Amino acid sequence: MSEPTPYQLLEVDEDASFDEVQEARTRLAEQYSGDKKRLESIEAAYDAILMDRLRQRQEGKIKVPERIRFPERLTPPPASFTPSPPSGSPAWLQRLIDTPSRSDILWPAGVYVGLGGLSIYPAANDALLQLTLALGVGSCLYFVNRKEQKFGRAVLLTVAGLVIGLLLGGVVGSFVSPAFITTEKFIALFTFLILWLVSGFLR
């Protein structure tokens, strides 16, 4: 009695499609899931059929369907590329603005609230104001550099924030009554606000 062919082992015809062969393999594997020897013969038959199909294809005995040989012919041509509409802000500004995490906002805020409290302390003198400003600048430099690890960029942003804070603080502070707060202390507070914005929302 002759040995069964791989097709007979998988119970499929020799002209069965690849999908039919796979379905037969899956069905028989589920049917004989507890029979290790039978499962091995099923896998061996499946591999033999794959090798036989590959040989026949190389010899030109199997015509590969057009949809498999030339799938690009059935693929619809891509729609003409439409660039995404530009957002309202320029690219350099989008690279500059950060979306901070909660810690990126709260840690600098805590530092600058503390420095602001020291600067408006009734007994605060010019030396203490200068010290708090120096600490504020150092903190801003640290927080900005921590995000991107670009020290030069962090220095540039920190210096820009300091200059803007001092200038705008001086302008706005001129409208504040000295009886409420001195101009120097207001400038320090305003500068801390700008440095907080720089350290939290820029990168």
Side-chain angles (χ1 to χ4, degrees):
M1 184 175 177
S2 61
E3 288 285 331
T5 67
Y7 293 95
Q8 291 172 338
L9 285 172
L10 287 189
E11 301 174 2
V12 294
D13 297 330
E14 292 193 11
D15 58 352
S17 68
F18 179 70
D19 290 337
E20 291 172 335
V21 173
Q22 277 192 317
E23 289 173 5
R25 173 203 181 197
T26 303
R27 175 175 50 79
L28 292 173
E30 291 175 355
Q31 182 178 347
Y32 298 102
S33 58
D35 190 340
K36 184 177 179 181
K37 187 173 181 181
R38 187 64 182 265
L39 288 175
E40 289 177 356
S41 65
I42 291 170
E43 289 299 321
Y46 178 74
D47 292 341
I49 291 175
L50 291 185
M51 294 302 295
D52 183 53
R53 293 291 176 88
L54 178 61
R55 178 184 56 77
Q56 291 182 33
R57 179 179 173 183
Q58 291 173 342
E59 294 175 355
K61 295 179 180 178
I62 295 180
K63 182 179 180 182
V64 181
E66 292 288 317
R67 62 182 178 84
I68 296 177
R69 293 180 62 194
F70 306 106
E72 67 277 3
R73 292 182 182 175
L74 300 178
T75 304
S80 58
F81 175 72
T82 305
S84 57
S87 59
S89 57
W92 65 267
L93 184 59
Q94 293 178 17
R95 290 193 299 268
L96 187 64
I97 300 296
D98 187 22
T99 305
S101 64
R102 178 176 295 182
S103 63
D104 287 338
I105 296 175
L106 295 182
W107 277 108
V111 170
Y112 288 116
V113 167
L115 292 175
L118 285 175
S119 66
I120 62 173
Y121 187 67
N125 53 22
D126 290 343
L128 183 58
L129 283 178
Q130 292 173 4
L131 176 61
T132 55
L133 278 174
L135 291 174
V137 169
S139 300
C140 184
L141 183 62
Y142 167 75
F143 288 125
V144 175
N145 184 61
R146 186 180 63 169
K147 295 180 184 179
E148 300 286 330
Q149 298 296 320
K150 295 179 180 178
F151 187 73
R153 184 187 184 98
V155 170
L156 183 63
L157 291 176
T158 301
V159 170
L162 176 64
V163 171
I164 292 172
L166 292 174
L167 292 177
L168 288 181
V171 171
V172 177
S174 63
F175 298 101
V176 177
S177 172
F180 179 69
I181 187 174
T182 64
T183 303
E184 292 79 10
K185 291 182 178 181
F186 180 84
I187 292 174
L189 287 178
F190 195 89
T191 303
F192 291 146
L193 174 63
I194 298 299
L195 290 176
W196 171 70
L197 292 174
V198 169
S199 61
F201 297 92
L202 298 184
R203 59 184 174 185

